[in-house]
Structures are given as structure tokens and as C-alpha cells.
Amino acid sequence: MPNPLLSDRTVDFLLYEVLDVTTLTRLPAFEAHSRDTFDPYLDACRKLAREKLFPAYKALDESPPRLESGRVRVHPLLRELYPKMVELGLLTATRPEAVGGQQLPIVVANLAASYLMAGNLSAYGYAGLTTSAARLIESFGSEALRDSFMTKMYGGEWTGTMALTEPQAGSSLSDVKTTATPTEGGHHSIRGSKIFISGGDQDFTENIVNLTLARIQGAPPGVKGISLFAIPNRRFERGSLVPNDVEVAGVIHKIGWKGIPSIAQNYGERGDCHGYLVGQPHRGLAYMFQMMNEARLMVGMNGVATASVAYFESLEYAKTRPQGRPIANKNPEAPQVPIIVHADVRRMLLRQKAIVEGGLSLVAWASREADLAEHSPAESERKEHALLLDLLTPVVKSFPAERGFESNALAVQIHGGYGYSSEYLPEAFLRDQKLNSLHEGTTGIQSMDLLGRKVAQDGGRALELLSREVRFAVSRAREAGLPATLTEPVETALRSVLDLTEHLLGLGSPDRTLLHSVDYLDLFGTFVVGFLWLRNATVANEALRRGTSETAFYEGKLAAAEYFIRTELRRVETLAALCREGEDSYVRLDENAF
Amino acid sequence: MPNPLLSDRTVDFLLYEVLDVTTLTRLPAFEAHSRDTFDPYLDACRKLAREKLFPAYKALDESPPRLESGRVRVHPLLRELYPKMVELGLLTATRPEAVGGQQLPIVVANLAASYLMAGNLSAYGYAGLTTSAARLIESFGSEALRDSFMTKMYGGEWTGTMALTEPQAGSSLSDVKTTATPTEGGHHSIRGSKIFISGGDQDFTENIVNLTLARIQGAPPGVKGISLFAIPNRRFERGSLVPNDVEVAGVIHKIGWKGIPSIAQNYGERGDCHGYLVGQPHRGLAYMFQMMNEARLMVGMNGVATASVAYFESLEYAKTRPQGRPIANKNPEAPQVPIIVHADVRRMLLRQKAIVEGGLSLVAWASREADLAEHSPAESERKEHALLLDLLTPVVKSFPAERGFESNALAVQIHGGYGYSSEYLPEAFLRDQKLNSLHEGTTGIQSMDLLGRKVAQDGGRALELLSREVRFAVSRAREAGLPATLTEPVETALRSVLDLTEHLLGLGSPDRTLLHSVDYLDLFGTFVVGFLWLRNATVANEALRRGTSETAFYEGKLAAAEYFIRTELRRVETLAALCREGEDSYVRLDENAF
């Protein structure tokens, strides 16, 4: 069986049975849509992912981009793959008709995109980054920028990037030093260096636009003095494209995502780099956060997709690799059995399934919240959904990255010694996955965002909204006949999270509140996914009670829910006790004692 | 500061303050030794590791072995490194003087070897495998085999390998199919295929001897019909070496350990492969288990060493990389601080330290048990130490591999985006580490060995011996003034382990007993290392109470103990509850529901 990348039946289950996304078509924004428009788009993405992107995965992994005479040469297959993604309408799937988009709900577009990510993270990466960059110009750029840059990017002629990080600053954006000097020509003259610019150079489109953070001369220090610029690698002069003094300073040798280069870029070494201000001066970080929040959702999807494709590799291997015999059968002349018969292999498979599908449930839910935050009729509703989305964002960013890495390691483990060789794919997915805990804000950064900002925002309103959802899910689970062994742990975890949050926010010093922020993020994410599994199990049990021909499918959901709630959710209590006690050995320790 | 690979001070602490290994010199076997012989050997290993092996690490990682006209070409640096290891006396460090050895205690030799592993796993690998293979001939081989093969191997002229795994059998040794047919010449004619033979070919010595499992014609099926053979790649004929019909069928593209090839080997394709029986027919697996148990201890050391070198990379990075400011300092014009100031970076560092040094404590303790099992005066003592060593072996094999992998991932995480690039070393160590949960018996295999065999052996005597050690350590910790927050969790964990073990062994069916065997191994290993941290903390506290100029060093031990006991040891209770409940979602699930 070829790798399905994601389970179609599970995607349909989440979209139509759990989240009931057809109800979104009642909103004016989506009134042109119905399941009859969603499914063909999903199918087209599945087909492209399976027939074109995934078959190119190994080639891109094996032949990473090379720097040749100052230009980056990427794998030639991208000349074929990128236009196919453009043709599919991927770049503007969620954008309004006014800019040539299909105006699909984000939740549908994201689940469809997950297939492309699972098939080929790097190839998809160019498309995802281009959409995000163009989207910033759509939202905040002048009409001139929209007519030129945005149109070219959405049209697939140019690609886009996000250029935030600088070598001396890393995650500390307040230390961005790239400068922008106003000129008489209306543009700014840019000087500076950026690093880790994914897709910052390639040779399959004629141009690339970098959405870049820089300081206008005389701007206040820190994050309040950062502005957003569009800086093309080549600019129009008298109707033709000329170099814009954007130089490739180096290609970073990444250990995964090898189809898309990570570039160190220099601007204005010859004093001739034109940057175009996007929106108002000094508002750059606020604008960028729109892109960054979408990017964080995308990282979550990357994490789920990468864990999913590896899960299916190991599932197929487990079903087809004969080795050993059941414990009770000691007869060495009996035939060997497929390793899926062994309990520990099944444990590893079900753990992967619970992480992959739990992560997908999380991403799908957050995506629907993004739709409702943008398109709900009442402002109060929009605000509530936005708050919930904000709260979920650090969880979406980190749960699939962290648990997904463990899930990817299990896919290697199931392959035994073969898993340690590059003749099999799981090791490549393990390498790919590691990036997700690092880019777009490390797990540590996400944890400070969650505990230092999101749970306290608006007097804790977001957490109240989440609690309401959880309580509703628990009562519906009871009505559906789910046992207390599934409902009670979720209720207990909710109480623990609420009590702990109140306790930590009451400690009075940010240092003490944030001491165990990563443990808090871990337990919070586990709790949220535990609740989502309860919701999935409820829908599954309802279907089984109604009677269905898909017994195995729904029982798979119940088993994964049971596994997750009884095994993973336990960690909430353990971690909560740790956070509450405030164990601080690592903070007290002298630097020389490490 | 150059990477120290391991902390000298910690190695000395474990050898001389915690384990007091100079007392071993009271045993007749070690009477020629004293700290004055131990330290120069340790220093020589440190020096070679730091000055030769570690500087060659990246070169070996970047240029893996190639297959050229049927022969494997390894990195030319090995022609220089291997003789230096031989010269050091590494191959026979623990062997008796009768075979040219130094007769050092295993505990001293192993800690010394850990530096070489940390410096260059692959380069050390050739030496470690050669010693193990020669050791089998020393223990079980005929005088003729000892005079020829063993002497050449111990002398560094030939290398050795372990050839167990076959493509169709993997971990299932009862399915070994390689055949051995007796001949009139006294040797056996061998036919078959092996896979994953580390060092099965190379071009820096004139010959290689493969210690191979095969079935003599007419042998009983299963593991009872397996014999051990020495199969050289080339054999003597009329005084000169000629090919022995051992062909390289392929080189596996491993993702780490790139300096040593993993080979698929064919024996006897031309009907001309001579194998020499080692010991008695059909006893092969029992013999091999001597080598395998040593190999498992070596895997544990590899795991610790790989986590250690990565820990020191990330510690140095954290001390020297400026980024961001303390939470309380919002002034963007204040200088950035080294990231070791940030609580979450410290948490990651202390976790690494606790895993690395906890793992080293485990390996050191098990090694001393190996010395006492071999050389204690009374047979009853030897038996007790052997039982304890047997019990510890699956833990030694798996704790450093599993927690070490997490520790290695933290070293990558601390490096941020740079950690994701091959310009920095931690990603290579992460790749190296992954093998340790796979080779010499996967973690799943270790868990069945522990719970299915070792804890039940001799009516649970080994577990009694461990309990006695733990109780003694707890009472000594109390006397040394350690707080109840450190002693009580260890006592509680001991009770949990004993109760749980009794419960699981009483379930009456191996399927039920072993259902959560990997969770059991995980909690057992965490418990053992928790106890070892309590012992380390006791010694540290005693030193601090006596007064010392090394306050930071000993406080580092106390902090790591506190971290491990309060954070990691908690998992024992969580996992024990899971094992006891027997959550079995994964076993019940239909294969098609995954």
C-alpha cells in the first residue's frame, strides 16, 4: 500500500463529524461554498501530494540546494512542483475573491495543505511562505505594493519570505539592527544582515520578496522601533528587473527540510538596496505577528504532517515485516508473525496514532477558530474566537513539535536496525521534525507566551472560554455513554490546570510565575489534546451506537482516546505538582557548578 | 574552552569517592594495582580522546565508508587512530597478564574508555568489538584458536566483529539460518547471510574475524541449535592469507556512527568459506551472551558518552552566546546576557547533567559489579554480584539510550536554529545516539529481559540485593543530613517497584505480565538512577560538611540530585499506576483500526 500521508477518513471525520464545518457556509463569507466545493479541493490536494510531492521527497532530501557564484540552485524538480501548487489555487485558497482567491474556510484549506506538507514539507514551504508574505502586503501594504508585489506573489510568479532573525539577536527581536534610511525616491535604503531566511534564494521564479524587519533611522530602541519592509531580491527599473543589492551571504546546512534553503542574507552592501515600507512606521512587529501567528499554526501543521507520514510508514512496516512469535508460542518451527502482533509494537503504533490524530484535531480546531474569529457576524463573537485562537496558538505550535518528535522516533524504533538507515524514510522525517521546536519561536518562547501572556489576557477570559468548551464536551461525552474512565480524567485535568494557573499568576513575580513555563506548556497541551480526544471519542461512540458499517474506524478512535486519556493525560497531574512546588534547583545553581 | 568530553572531576568522584574502587586492589586479581596505576591509564585515555579522537570526529562523520570493487574503504585517519588505541593497551586493559593484558578492573577501564567513545564513537567501536570478539575466543576457544586468532586480535593486527543478525530474523535469533557443515579438514563449511555487521570490512588491518552464529547440519531448531564460529575474512593457507569466501553484500547507509561501516555479509557463495567452531556445538547462544552482556554495558557507555559530549557543547554555547535579557529587565538598551542566565536554558542544562552523570553513575556501578562478580573471593559473593549485574544490564543498556536521546535533543534545542545545522556538532550526536535504542537488543527486547526474566530469577534474589543497597543508601543519606525531600521519594519508589513487581509476576500469564514491559523498564531505570543520585548527593553532602574548597562542584551534584529526584523520579508513580491498571487499548485493537 502506498503511504496515504494522512488518513482521508480521519480528515473527513474531523471536518464533517466533529467540527461540522459545513455550518461555516451559513456565514456570509463562505456562502458560495458547500461540501461540494470543499471535497474537490481536498481531493485535488491529496492527489497532488500523493502523485507528485511525495514521490519527489527523497530526491529533494538527497540533493540539497547549492550555492553557485552567489546564487542558490535548488532541486530542478521544484520547477515542476511549484507551478502545480499554484495551479491548484493553494496560494490564495483562503483569500477573498477580490484578490483572486477561492475564499475557502481556513480549516478546509489547512487540512488540505497538510497532505502537501506530509508529502513534501520543503516544496510546500515555498508556497506557505509566499502566501503569508503576500498576505501581509494584502493586509497592510499600499495599493501600489498590492498591485505589484502581492499580485506577482499570489499569481505564483514571485515567491515570498519572512526575514526576522539576525545573527546577533536570534529570538530576541528587540535587538534587530537592520537599518532603513528614507530616500527622496520614496523607498528606504536598507543595510543589514538576516539569517535563517527560508527560501531567501532559489532559481525557479524570477524574483523573491522578503518581508523584513528593520529600524528606520532615529526609531526608538526595542520592539517599539521596528518597521516592516518589502525587500525584493530584484527590483523594477525602467520596466525591467535589476539586482536590488540583496546578497546571499551563505547557505546553512540544515539537517532536514533539505528542499528549501535557509539563507544568510546581506542587504545594501553596495548601498543600493531598496526597501518598501509596509503600513505605518514602527508598527512592524504588530504586523509581523499576524504572519507569525499564521506561521505558528503552519508549524503545528508541519509537525502533525511529519508525524503522520512517518506513522503510516511504520504501520505498513509493522504489518508486513515478519519477526518472532507471540510470547505464548515458543515453537521455533512455527512461522514468524508480522511485528504488529507484538504488544510493544502496537503500543508504539497507538501512541503515534494518538499523537498524530490528536495533533490534527488540535490544528483543525484552531483553524476553525481562526475562521470564526474573522467571519463571525457579531464583534463579540469574533473577539471570543480570537481570544481562544490566541490561547491555542503556542499549544498548536509546540504540541505537534515536541510530541511529534517522540512519535517520529517511535517510527524509527519500529523499523529496528533498518530505521537507522537512510534506505528507509523514517530517519528523514525525524530530522525534518526537529526544526519545529525551533523555528517561529522555540518551545521556550511559546511557553512564555502562553503563561506570561495568553492565560492572563483579558482577565483570563480565554481560559474561561476553553473551560466552557471542555465542560460541554464532558457532559456530551457522558450523554453519549462514555465511561467515567474517560470523562473523569479530563475533568480532573481541567481543575488542575485552572487551579495551577491561578496559583502561578498569583505568585507576584514573573520569574517565579515562569519558572516552570515549559512544564506548564507541556501539561497544558496534553490537557487540551486530552479534551479533544474525549470529543473525538464522543462522536465515535455516537456513531457506533447509531450503528455503522465502519466499526473498525470508530473503534480506532475510541482506542486512541483511551490510550491518550489514560496514559498521556496522567502527566498533567505529575507536571502540575512540579510547577506548584516550584522546584528550582536549576535556577539556584552557580554557573560554574554545571 | 575545548570540549572535555567527560568531566574528569566527576569521573574521579565516582571512582574514588562514591565507589571507592581502590578497595578492589585488595582482591588478588588486582593486587598489582593502585590509584597510581589507575590514574596514568585514565590520563592516557583522556589525552588520546581529546587530542586525536575528538579532532577526527567531524571528518569521519562527513566521509563515511565507501564500497569499492567489493572492498570497504574507511576514512584514512583510522590508519593512524587504531594503532594509537592499540598502543594504549585498550584492547587488553582488563585481560589477564597471561594474554598480555594489564588486568585492570573493568570499572576503571570502562570509565577510561568512555572518553574515547565520547571523542569518537566509531573509532572506538573497532577496538571495543575486537576486544569482545577476542574475549570469546579467550574464554571458549581451543588453544589453536587462541594462539592464532586471539593473539592477532589482542595484538591489534586483526580486528573482530559480532555477526548475529540475519535479514529474515532481526531480533529473533531462534530464526538464524546460516549453516555449518563439518568437513574432513576439521573446519566447518559455512553458508549464509548476515546483516548489520559493524566493522565487518575495513582496510586498515590485514584481516577481520567474525564471531558468527550458525547451525551445524542436523542441529535442533530454535536457539538450542545455534553454534558459535570464528570466520575470518581471510584465512591462512600454506602460511599466507587467502580470501575465505566472505563477501560484502552491501554497506548500510547509517545515519550516525559514520566512521564504522555496517555491513551485509555473505558466507560461502563459492562454497569455500571456512568457519572454526568455538567451544562446544549448540552452545553458541550461551557463549554469545557473555559477549552480548558486555556489549550491552558498552552500549550504555556509548549512550552516556554521546550525551556527555553534547552536554558540554551546549554548556559552552550557553555560557558564550548572548541573547535577550532577564525577564525583570525590559530595557532594550541594556546589553544582552549569555543564554545560561535564562531559567529554561538552565533547566535544559541541568536535565542533561542529571542524565549524563546519572547514566555514568549507573555504568560505573554496573562495571564494578562485573569486577566483583568475577573476582570476589567467595563463590557466594561472586554469585550475588553476578545476579545484580544481570538485573542491571537491561537498565544500563536502555536508560542512557532513551534518556540520552532526550538529553541530546536538548543540546540541539539550546543551540536554537544553529542546532539544526551541521555546522554545529549536536545534531551529529543526536544521530549517533539513536542507534543505542536499537542495536544489541532494542529497548523492547531489554524490557522483556528485565520483567520476563531478570526480576524473577532465583526467586527475585537480584531485586532483594538491589533493595538492600537502596535501603542502605537511604539510611546513609539521612545520616549525612540530606533532607526528606530527597530520601523519601527514593524510599517510596522502592516500595512501588517492589509492590508492582510482585503484582505483575503474580498475574499468571506472560502476556499480562509483559503488557507494559517498556513502561516497567522506564520506571525501573528511573528508580535505579534516582537511587544513584541519592548516593552521589550523600557523598557530596558529606564533603561539604567536612569543608572543601570545591563547593561549586559538590553543590552541582546536590542540585542535579535534587532535580532528578524531584522531577524525574515522579514518573515512577505515574508509570507504576499505568502498569498496575493494565491499560490495554493497544492490544485489544483490531489491526485494521490503526
Side-chain angles (χ1 to χ4, degrees):
Chain A
M1 278 252 299
N3 191 315
L5 309 178
L6 272 80
S7 153
D8 292 351
R9 186 63 192 87
T10 295
V11 167
D12 288 352
F13 171 75
L14 289 173
L15 287 177
Y16 301 119
E17 294 172 64
V18 178
L19 296 174
D20 201 5
V21 302
T22 50
T23 57
L24 289 172
T25 62
R26 290 180 212 145
L27 301 173
F30 303 125
E31 63 188 3
H33 284 291
S34 67
R35 186 159 177 177
D36 293 340
T37 58
F38 296 163
D39 284 349
Y41 181 71
L42 283 159
D43 286 337
C45 287
R46 286 165 175 151
K47 190 173 151 69
L48 183 65
R50 289 172 185 156
E51 294 178 8
K52 297 288 174 191
L53 264 64
F54 189 51
Y57 175 80
K58 206 169 166 60
L60 267 62
D61 185 61
E62 285 176 349
S63 304
R66 299 182 321 272
L67 185 60
E68 279 176 11
S69 344
R71 280 301 303 275
V72 175
R73 309 285 166 204
V74 299
H75 199 288
L77 274 170
L78 285 161
R79 291 177 183 274
E80 180 192 336
L81 298 177
Y82 193 73
K84 284 195 192 299
M85 287 188 282
V86 174
E87 213 172 285
L88 197 63
L90 191 67
L91 300 181
T92 53
T94 67
R95 308 317 312 138
E97 286 171 19
V99 300
Q102 300 181 61
Q103 217 161 319
L104 276 165
I106 293 171
V107 60
V108 174
N110 278 357
L111 263 59
S114 298
Y115 285 89
L116 302 167
M117 295 173 178
N120 201 320
L121 269 185
S122 305
Y124 177 83
Y126 295 100
L129 287 164
T130 300
T131 298
S132 294
R135 175 85 201 274
L136 273 177
I137 299 176
E138 182 195 331
S139 301
F140 308 111
S142 64
E143 206 163 330
L145 281 180
R146 290 163 51 105
D147 285 348
S148 53
F149 290 3
M150 182 195 80
T151 307
K152 293 277 192 192
M153 290 155 84
Y154 278 155
E157 291 169 79
W158 297 1
T159 60
T161 79
M162 239 166 127
L164 285 77
T165 308
E166 298 184 4
Q168 82 293 344
S171 300
S172 178
L173 291 177
S174 69
D175 291 288
V176 157
K177 283 193 174 20
T178 296
T179 59
T181 312
T183 67
E184 291 180 357
H187 64 267
H188 285 70
S189 173
I190 310 289
R191 267 181 208 271
S193 298
K194 295 283 174 179
I195 195 165
F196 301 132
I197 312 307
S198 292
D201 198 16
Q202 41 78 2
D203 57 350
F204 63 81
T205 63
E206 65 175 9
N207 204 8
I208 300 164
V209 181
N210 308 290
L211 276 284
T212 306
L213 296 181
R215 287 179 193 287
I216 298 172
Q217 271 198 326
V223 293
K224 289 174 187 157
I226 295 176
S227 303
L228 179 64
F229 291 88
I231 306 178
N233 283 11
R234 306 174 78 205
R235 66 177 189 257
F236 274 114
E237 235 164 59
R238 287 180 296 276
S240 64
L241 284 170
V242 300
N244 186 37
D245 196 7
V246 174
E247 296 297 330
V248 178
V251 177
I252 292 131
H253 296 98
K254 284 194 306 295
I255 61 172
W257 296 64
K258 291 200 179 180
I260 185 165
S262 180
I263 305 277
Q265 236 169 15
N266 290 339
Y267 303 117
E269 284 189 319
R270 300 190 316 271
D272 186 35
C273 178
H274 293 203
Y276 306 92
L277 183 66
V278 178
Q280 302 299 311
H282 315 325
R283 299 286 309 279
L285 203 67
Y287 300 154
M288 197 54 111
F289 258 94
Q290 173 197 297
M291 186 170 175
M292 201 124 64
N293 280 331
E294 285 173 13
R296 286 173 178 177
L297 191 49
M298 192 150 75
V299 172
M301 290 157 59
N302 288 331
V304 171
T306 302
S308 182
V309 65
Y311 167 60
F312 285 111
E313 285 293 308
S314 64
L315 180 58
E316 180 68 13
Y317 186 83
K319 285 180 174 178
T320 52
R321 164 76 178 170
Q323 199 181 300
R325 288 160 194 86
I327 295 175
N329 183 353
K330 296 281 183 206
N331 176 10
E333 292 182 288
Q336 298 197 74
V337 295
I339 61 171
I340 197 171
V341 169
H342 304 312
D344 188 51
V345 172
R346 297 183 143 249
R347 182 190 62 86
M348 292 192 272
L349 287 170
L350 192 57
R351 180 160 201 247
Q352 286 185 74
K353 180 182 167 79
I355 290 169
V356 168
E357 296 183 5
L360 194 63
S361 307
L362 174 66
V363 162
W365 181 39
S367 301
R368 196 190 57 172
E369 290 304 307
D371 285 315
L372 295 170
E374 204 174 336
H375 298 295
S376 286
E379 200 198 320
S380 61
E381 286 179 275
R382 289 198 297 275
K383 193 173 169 207
E384 289 199 343
H385 290 293
L387 273 171
L388 195 51
L389 175 62
D390 273 359
L391 180 70
L392 293 177
T393 297
V395 177
V396 171
K397 163 67 173 68
S398 55
F399 178 91
E402 296 289 346
R403 293 292 88 69
F405 186 68
E406 294 171 12
S407 181
N408 278 96
L410 293 178
V412 169
Q413 189 73 17
I414 287 174
H415 281 74
Y418 297 101
Y420 199 68
S421 82
S422 53
E423 276 85 3
Y424 287 75
L425 288 169
E427 67 85 15
F429 302 135
L430 184 68
R431 287 187 274 111
D432 286 342
Q433 185 68 276
K434 193 78 224 86
L435 187 60
N436 293 321
S437 66
L438 297 164
H439 65 169
E440 315 305 346
T442 62
T443 300
I445 299 273
Q446 302 306 318
S447 76
M448 292 197 282
D449 182 42
L450 178 66
L451 184 54
R453 196 175 301 133
K454 300 298 178 59
V455 291
Q457 219 167 316
D458 269 18
R461 180 75 186 127
L463 200 49
E464 270 175 46
L465 294 168
L466 176 63
S467 307
R468 198 174 67 188
E469 296 264 358
V470 175
R471 290 197 187 98
F472 177 74
V474 169
S475 82
R476 193 175 146 198
R478 282 215 189 84
E479 283 164 30
L482 288 184
T485 48
L486 295 185
T487 54
E488 274 173 16
V490 174
E491 281 189 299
T492 307
L494 172 62
R495 256 193 319 274
S496 296
V497 167
L498 294 177
D499 290 352
L500 176 66
T501 306
E502 195 183 335
H503 171 78
L504 292 175
L505 295 179
L507 286 176
S509 106
D511 280 320
R512 290 181 62 205
T513 299
L514 295 176
L515 184 62
H516 282 270
S517 61
V518 170
D519 291 320
Y520 181 86
L521 173 63
D522 186 355
L523 75 87
F524 197 95
T526 305
F527 155 64
V528 170
V529 174
F531 141 64
L532 292 172
W533 266 119
L534 183 66
R535 198 155 81 174
N536 292 347
T538 304
V539 175
N541 218 41
E542 286 167 353
L544 287 166
R545 282 184 152 193
R546 273 197 310 272
T548 168
S549 61
E550 300 178 298
T551 314
F553 173 77
Y554 289 112
E555 282 178 349
K557 297 289 170 273
L558 283 177
E562 189 172 339
Y563 167 80
F564 196 92
I565 290 171
R566 295 184 62 186
T567 302
E568 306 285 328
L569 200 59
R570 269 174 212 277
R571 298 174 57 246
V572 171
E573 301 310 310
T574 316
L575 290 166
L578 185 65
C579 292
R580 186 178 280 270
E581 286 173 21
E583 199 285 304
D584 65 346
S585 52
Y586 45 94
V587 180
R588 283 185 279 109
L589 197 58
D590 185 89
E591 190 178 305
N592 298 311
F594 276 96
Chain B
M1 277 252 301
N3 190 316
L5 310 178
L6 272 80
S7 153
D8 292 353
R9 186 64 190 85
T10 296
V11 167
D12 288 352
F13 171 75
L14 289 173
L15 287 177
Y16 301 118
E17 294 171 67
V18 179
L19 295 174
D20 201 5
V21 302
T22 51
T23 57
L24 290 172
T25 62
R26 289 180 215 146
L27 300 174
F30 305 124
E31 65 188 2
H33 284 290
S34 68
R35 185 159 177 175
D36 292 341
T37 58
F38 297 162
D39 283 348
Y41 181 71
L42 282 159
D43 285 338
C45 287
R46 286 166 175 150
K47 191 173 152 68
L48 183 64
R50 288 170 185 155
E51 294 179 9
K52 298 288 174 194
L53 264 64
F54 189 51
Y57 175 80
K58 208 170 164 56
L60 267 61
D61 185 60
E62 285 176 348
S63 303
R66 299 183 320 275
L67 185 60
E68 280 176 12
S69 344
R71 279 301 303 275
V72 174
R73 309 286 166 203
V74 299
H75 199 288
L77 274 170
L78 286 162
R79 291 176 182 275
E80 181 192 335
L81 299 176
Y82 193 73
K84 284 194 192 299
M85 289 188 282
V86 174
E87 212 173 285
L88 197 62
L90 191 68
L91 300 182
T92 52
T94 66
R95 309 315 314 137
E97 286 170 21
V99 300
Q102 300 180 60
Q103 217 162 320
L104 276 165
I106 293 170
V107 60
V108 174
N110 278 357
L111 262 59
S114 298
Y115 285 88
L116 303 167
M117 294 174 181
N120 201 319
L121 268 186
S122 304
Y124 176 82
Y126 295 100
L129 287 165
T130 300
T131 298
S132 294
R135 176 86 201 277
L136 273 178
I137 298 176
E138 182 194 332
S139 301
F140 308 110
S142 64
E143 207 163 329
L145 282 180
R146 289 163 53 104
D147 285 348
S148 53
F149 291 2
M150 183 195 80
T151 307
K152 293 278 192 191
M153 290 156 83
Y154 277 155
E157 290 169 82
W158 296 1
T159 60
T161 78
M162 236 167 127
L164 286 76
T165 307
E166 298 184 5
Q168 82 292 345
S171 301
S172 178
L173 291 178
S174 69
D175 291 288
V176 157
K177 283 192 175 15
T178 295
T179 58
T181 312
T183 68
E184 291 182 355
H187 65 267
H188 285 69
S189 173
I190 309 288
R191 268 181 207 271
S193 299
K194 296 282 174 179
I195 196 166
F196 302 134
I197 311 309
S198 292
D201 197 17
Q202 41 79 3
D203 56 350
F204 62 82
T205 63
E206 64 175 9
N207 203 8
I208 300 164
V209 181
N210 308 290
L211 276 284
T212 306
L213 295 181
R215 289 180 191 286
I216 298 174
Q217 272 197 325
V223 295
K224 289 175 187 157
I226 295 176
S227 303
L228 179 64
F229 290 88
I231 306 178
N233 283 10
R234 306 175 79 203
R235 67 177 189 256
F236 274 113
E237 237 165 58
R238 286 178 297 274
S240 64
L241 283 170
V242 299
N244 187 37
D245 196 8
V246 174
E247 296 298 329
V248 177
V251 177
I252 291 132
H253 296 98
K254 283 193 307 285
I255 61 173
W257 296 64
K258 292 200 179 182
I260 185 166
S262 180
I263 304 278
Q265 237 169 18
N266 290 339
Y267 303 118
E269 285 188 320
R270 300 192 313 274
D272 185 37
C273 179
H274 293 202
Y276 307 93
L277 183 66
V278 177
Q280 301 300 311
H282 316 324
R283 298 286 310 278
L285 203 69
Y287 299 154
M288 196 55 109
F289 258 94
Q290 174 196 298
M291 186 170 177
M292 200 123 66
N293 281 331
E294 285 173 13
R296 286 175 177 176
L297 190 50
M298 191 151 76
V299 172
M301 291 156 61
N302 288 331
V304 171
T306 303
S308 182
V309 64
Y311 167 59
F312 285 111
E313 284 295 305
S314 64
L315 179 59
E316 180 69 11
Y317 186 83
K319 285 180 174 178
T320 53
R321 164 75 179 171
Q323 200 182 297
R325 290 160 192 85
I327 294 175
N329 183 350
K330 296 283 184 204
N331 175 10
E333 292 183 289
Q336 300 196 74
V337 295
I339 61 172
I340 198 171
V341 170
H342 304 311
D344 188 52
V345 172
R346 296 180 145 251
R347 182 189 61 85
M348 292 191 274
L349 287 170
L350 192 56
R351 180 160 202 246
Q352 285 184 74
K353 181 182 167 78
I355 290 170
V356 167
E357 297 183 4
L360 195 63
S361 307
L362 175 65
V363 161
W365 182 38
S367 301
R368 196 190 57 172
E369 291 303 309
D371 286 315
L372 295 169
E374 201 173 337
H375 299 294
S376 285
E379 199 198 322
S380 61
E381 284 178 275
R382 289 199 297 275
K383 188 168 176 215
E384 288 200 343
H385 290 293
L387 272 171
L388 195 51
L389 174 62
D390 273 357
L391 179 69
L392 293 177
T393 298
V395 177
V396 171
K397 163 65 174 68
S398 54
F399 177 91
E402 296 289 345
R403 294 290 90 68
F405 185 68
E406 295 171 11
S407 181
N408 279 95
L410 293 177
V412 169
Q413 189 73 16
I414 287 173
H415 282 74
Y418 297 101
Y420 199 68
S421 83
S422 52
E423 276 86 3
Y424 288 75
L425 288 170
E427 66 84 18
F429 303 135
L430 184 67
R431 285 187 276 114
D432 287 341
Q433 185 67 276
K434 194 78 224 84
L435 187 60
N436 293 322
S437 65
L438 296 165
H439 64 170
E440 313 306 347
T442 62
T443 300
I445 299 274
Q446 302 306 317
S447 74
M448 292 197 283
D449 182 42
L450 178 66
L451 184 54
R453 196 175 300 134
K454 300 299 177 59
V455 292
Q457 219 166 321
D458 267 19
R461 180 77 185 127
L463 200 50
E464 269 176 48
L465 294 167
L466 176 63
S467 307
R468 195 173 69 187
E469 295 266 357
V470 174
R471 290 199 185 97
F472 177 74
V474 168
S475 84
R476 193 174 147 200
R478 282 216 188 83
E479 283 163 30
L482 287 186
T485 48
L486 295 185
T487 54
E488 276 174 12
V490 175
E491 282 188 298
T492 307
L494 172 62
R495 254 193 320 273
S496 296
V497 167
L498 295 178
D499 291 352
L500 176 66
T501 306
E502 196 185 332
H503 171 78
L504 293 175
L505 295 180
L507 286 177
S509 106
D511 282 319
R512 291 180 64 202
T513 299
L514 296 174
L515 183 63
H516 282 270
S517 61
V518 170
D519 292 320
Y520 181 87
L521 172 64
D522 185 355
L523 76 86
F524 196 96
T526 305
F527 155 65
V528 170
V529 174
F531 141 65
L532 292 172
W533 266 119
L534 184 66
R535 196 155 81 172
N536 292 347
T538 303
V539 175
N541 217 41
E542 285 168 353
L544 287 165
R545 282 182 151 193
R546 273 196 311 272
T548 169
S549 60
E550 300 177 298
T551 314
F553 173 78
Y554 290 112
E555 282 178 349
K557 296 289 172 272
L558 283 176
E562 190 174 338
Y563 167 80
F564 196 92
I565 290 170
R566 293 186 61 188
T567 301
E568 306 284 330
L569 199 58
R570 270 173 210 277
R571 299 174 57 244
V572 171
E573 301 310 310
T574 316
L575 289 166
L578 185 65
C579 293
R580 186 178 280 272
E581 286 173 22
E583 199 284 305
D584 65 348
S585 52
Y586 44 93
V587 181
R588 283 185 281 109
L589 196 58
D590 185 89
E591 190 179 305
N592 298 311
F594 277 95

